[in-house]
Amino acid sequence: MVNFTIQNVLIAASDDYATVDVQIVDRAIAAIAPNLPVIGTVIDGKNKLLLPGFFNAHTHSSEMWQRGIMSVLPLELWLAELYDFAPLDTEQVYLSALGTAVETLLSGGTSVVDHLVLIPGLELETIATATRAYREVGIRAFIAPLIQDESLSAGIPSGESARTHEPYHRSTAATLEIIEEAVRQFHRPEEGVNILVAPTGIQLCTDALFTGCIELSDRYNLCRHSHLLETRAQEKLAQEKYACTAVEHLKRIGFLSDRTSFAHCVWLNDADIAILAETESTVVHNPLSNLRLGSGIAPILKYRQAGVNVTFGCDGASSNDSQDLLEAIKIGSILHNVTDSDYQHWITPRQAIEMASLGGAKGLNLADNLGSLSVGKQADLVLYDLTNLSLLPRTDPIGLLVLGRPNNVVDSVWVNGKQIVADGKVTTINVDELRQELFNRSQWETKRKSETVAQIEAHYRTVMGL
C-alpha cells in the first residue's frame, strides 16, 4: 500500500484558498496542514489545485458508439432511433466503458454511475464486461444495469387511442433474478465496484419491477437509480397510468429514499419537489442531453432552495456526444441564470464544485467516505495544473475551472489512494490502443429513418399535438 504526501498544494478554504500539505495514509486522508512531515512518496503540489473527485452521476457508457450520428429529435423518437441501431456486442461494451472512464477521469471525475444497457440474452456477460473495464482503468464504478419490463411503444402516452403493446422479451421475474445474480457476482464496494438497482423509469417499468427492485435494494443495501420525468410526454404518461404525478406514485410504492438518485427531473411540480426533499432523494442534473433532446430545463434552483441534493451527470454520449464532466458542470451551473431573475439564487463556481463532489457522494449514500477534502475520507483526489493556459491568468482557480473552457488541465488522479493519472495521462491502460480500437470498430455513416421509427413518430406527433 502506497502512502504519499502532496506538498505545497492549493486547496479551497472558506471563501479563500490555502497552501497546505496533504498526507495520504492507508488510502485515506490522514492530515491537511502546512509543513507536515513527509510520509511516503512526495508529490509536488506547487502551482496546482487539489479537489475531491467529481461524480459522473448518470451516463450510459455503450452509447459512445452512436455519438455524433443521432438525429435531432425529442427523447421518445431519439430512443426509437437508438434501438434501431445494430445490437451491441461485448467487445463494444468493453471499449466504450474504457472510453467513458478515461474521459470522466480526464475531466475531473473519479466515480461513474453507468446506467448500463444490457445485451439481450447476455445480460450477466454485459455486466461482467463493464466491470472488467472499470477495474482495469481503476475508476470507482457504480454499475446500474438498465432494466425494464415493457416494450418501447409503452413509453409514449396513448392519448385518445386504445393501444396494445408487444410483450417485453424478458419477464419481470427473470429480470430481477439477473440483477440479484449480478449483485452476488460483482457487488464489491470495498474493491470499488458497486451494483445498483436501476429500473429505467416509470415509462417502461411496471410496479412489479419497481417493488422487486426495492426488495433487492433493502436486502442487499443497494442504492437505487432511475430516470424520472425527463420529458413532457412522460409527465402526460404518468397521469394516464397513475392518475397522479410520477413522484407521488413512486413515494406511494416506497421507491424514494436517501439511497435513491434520479436522472433529469425536468417536469416536476412544487409538490413533487417537496416530496423529493422530504425523502432525501437526489436529483442528477444532465443539462446537455436535456438541451440536445429538447426535454426542457430542470428547475435546479428550486430543488436547491427546497433542500434537495443535486449533482451532475453527462448522460450517455449519444444524447450529449461527450463525456466531459467539466462541460456538464459549467452548463448545468450557468444555464439557470436565465430561469430565476434573483441572482442570489444562482449557482456559484464553489457551489458547483460541491454539487459535483459531495452532492454525488450523498446520492450514493457515501458522504461519510467521499466527496470532500476531509481527514478520514478515502483518497479520491484530482490535482489540476494551474500553469495550463486555459487556467491563466491567475485569478480564481475554481472560477476558471467551472466558468472557463479548461483543456487538458487534470495533472493527477487518485482513486482510493491509487494513482491512475500522472502528468495528464492515464497510467493503468494504453489509451493509444483504445483510440485505435474505437477507430477500427467504427465507420463514418449516416443514419436513415426506418419504418418503425416513422410509425412511432406519427403517433408521437398526434398525441403531443404537433
Side-chain angles (χ1 to χ4, degrees):
M1 190 171 295
V2 178
N3 300 327
F4 58 96
T5 304
I6 307 173
Q7 291 187 317
N8 300 313
V9 70
L10 200 67
I11 66 168
S14 299
D15 295 328
D16 202 353
Y17 294 90
T19 299
V20 299
D21 298 341
V22 179
Q23 291 176 345
I24 307 300
V25 178
D26 294 341
R27 304 188 184 280
I29 300 172
I32 303 172
N35 304 313
L36 290 173
V38 171
I39 294 179
T41 305
V42 173
I43 306 293
D44 185 5
K46 187 177 180 182
N47 297 322
K48 295 182 175 68
L49 172 70
L50 185 68
L51 291 175
F54 302 147
F55 287 72
N56 187 354
H58 176 73
T59 191
H60 307 279
S61 62
S62 62
E63 287 182 15
M64 177 172 284
W65 294 99
Q66 287 83 38
R67 66 178 177 183
I69 194 174
M70 297 297 294
S71 301
V72 180
L73 291 168
L75 174 76
E76 286 74 20
L77 306 184
W78 173 92
L79 268 177
E81 186 175 279
L82 183 68
Y83 275 54
D84 205 38
F85 273 94
L88 289 166
D89 59 45
T90 52
E91 182 64 15
Q92 287 176 304
V93 169
Y94 173 70
L95 293 172
S96 55
L98 289 179
T100 297
V102 168
E103 289 192 83
T104 296
L105 287 166
L106 295 181
S107 57
T110 52
S111 295
V112 60
V113 177
D114 188 354
H115 209 175
L116 182 68
V117 176
L118 303 179
I119 301 172
L122 295 173
E123 291 88 355
L124 288 171
E125 291 88 341
T126 306
I127 298 167
T129 300
T131 298
R132 176 165 65 93
Y134 289 132
R135 280 183 177 276
E136 288 180 12
V137 176
I139 198 167
R140 196 178 293 274
F142 299 84
I143 298 175
L146 188 151
I147 53 175
Q148 64 191 75
D149 59 354
E150 294 186 296
S151 61
L152 185 63
S153 61
I156 299 177
S158 296
E160 297 179 359
S161 61
R163 303 180 70 212
T164 58
H165 309 289
E166 291 292 322
Y168 194 61
H169 68 84
R170 189 176 56 233
S171 72
T172 304
T175 297
L176 292 169
E177 287 172 8
I178 288 167
I179 300 306
E180 184 164 18
E181 184 58 31
V183 173
R184 293 193 190 105
Q185 291 189 31
F186 308 115
H187 185 60
R188 302 287 184 273
E190 68 284 356
E191 299 173 15
V193 176
N194 305 262
I195 300 296
L196 280 61
V197 294
T200 186
I202 62 101
Q203 67 277 12
L204 295 174
C205 298
T206 65
D207 281 357
L209 187 60
F210 272 108
T211 54
C213 285
I214 294 167
E215 194 275 329
L216 288 174
S217 170
D218 290 343
R219 191 190 323 162
Y220 294 104
N221 193 30
L222 307 174
C223 288
R224 309 165 186 176
H225 187 65
S226 186
H227 299 97
L228 179 62
L229 295 178
E230 185 173 354
T231 67
R232 175 67 64 84
Q234 290 175 10
E235 180 191 39
K236 291 168 69 73
L237 181 66
Q239 288 293 332
E240 277 189 7
K241 290 179 73 169
Y242 313 125
C244 66
T245 72
V247 174
E248 289 173 319
H249 185 73
L250 290 174
K251 180 186 178 184
R252 187 179 303 147
I253 65 175
F255 192 74
L256 308 184
S257 77
D258 61 356
R259 289 182 288 144
T260 304
S261 60
F262 289 111
H264 303 294
C265 298
V266 178
W267 294 97
L268 277 65
N269 61 34
D270 290 347
D272 293 335
I273 293 172
I275 290 171
L276 292 189
E278 172 197 339
T279 57
E280 300 182 67
S281 301
T282 288
V283 169
V284 183
H285 187 24
N286 300 270
L288 287 152
S289 63
N290 291 344
L291 292 171
R292 163 84 152 87
L293 302 174
S295 301
I297 299 176
I300 296 302
L301 301 185
K302 282 189 173 184
Y303 290 128
R304 286 174 50 80
Q305 291 170 62
V308 177
N309 182 50
V310 181
T311 190
F312 297 101
C314 289
D315 207 356
S318 61
S319 62
N320 172 341
D321 305 281
S322 168
Q323 289 296 292
D324 187 331
L325 193 48
L326 285 169
E327 180 184 45
I329 293 167
K330 174 178 179 175
I331 299 299
S333 301
I334 64 175
L335 177 62
H336 306 285
N337 296 1
V338 301
T339 65
D340 188 335
S341 59
D342 188 346
Y343 55 86
Q344 293 185 336
H345 297 153
W346 295 354
I347 298 169
T348 69
R350 289 193 179 221
Q351 288 170 338
I353 292 299
E354 184 175 17
M355 291 164 66
S357 50
L358 188 59
K362 286 179 179 177
L364 295 160
N365 204 29
L366 288 170
D368 291 340
N369 301 316
L370 296 168
S372 64
L373 295 183
S374 305
V375 171
K377 290 198 174 184
Q378 295 172 28
D380 284 20
L381 308 171
V382 180
L383 201 59
Y384 296 89
D385 179 8
L386 297 180
T387 68
N388 182 284
L389 183 61
S390 60
L391 294 182
L392 290 172
R394 291 189 290 173
T395 54
D396 179 357
I398 291 177
L400 284 165
L401 193 67
V402 173
L403 299 176
R405 182 62 178 92
N407 184 38
N408 299 323
V409 295
V410 171
D411 177 88
S412 301
V413 177
W414 294 266
V415 176
N416 199 25
K418 178 183 178 182
Q419 187 165 15
I420 58 177
V421 175
D423 298 322
K425 299 183 186 303
V426 177
T427 59
T428 47
I429 64 167
N430 189 321
V431 176
D432 288 335
E433 286 185 3
L434 171 62
R435 281 199 294 261
Q436 191 62 53
E437 285 295 321
L438 287 167
F439 183 85
N440 292 342
R441 286 294 305 265
S442 56
Q443 60 183 3
W444 316 123
E445 57 182 313
T446 302
K447 181 64 181 163
R448 290 176 174 82
K449 188 183 297 183
S450 71
E451 184 177 342
T452 301
V453 174
Q455 291 173 349
I456 292 174
E457 182 174 10
H459 173 73
Y460 176 87
R461 291 187 64 81
T462 299
V463 77
M464 298 304 292
L466 299 174

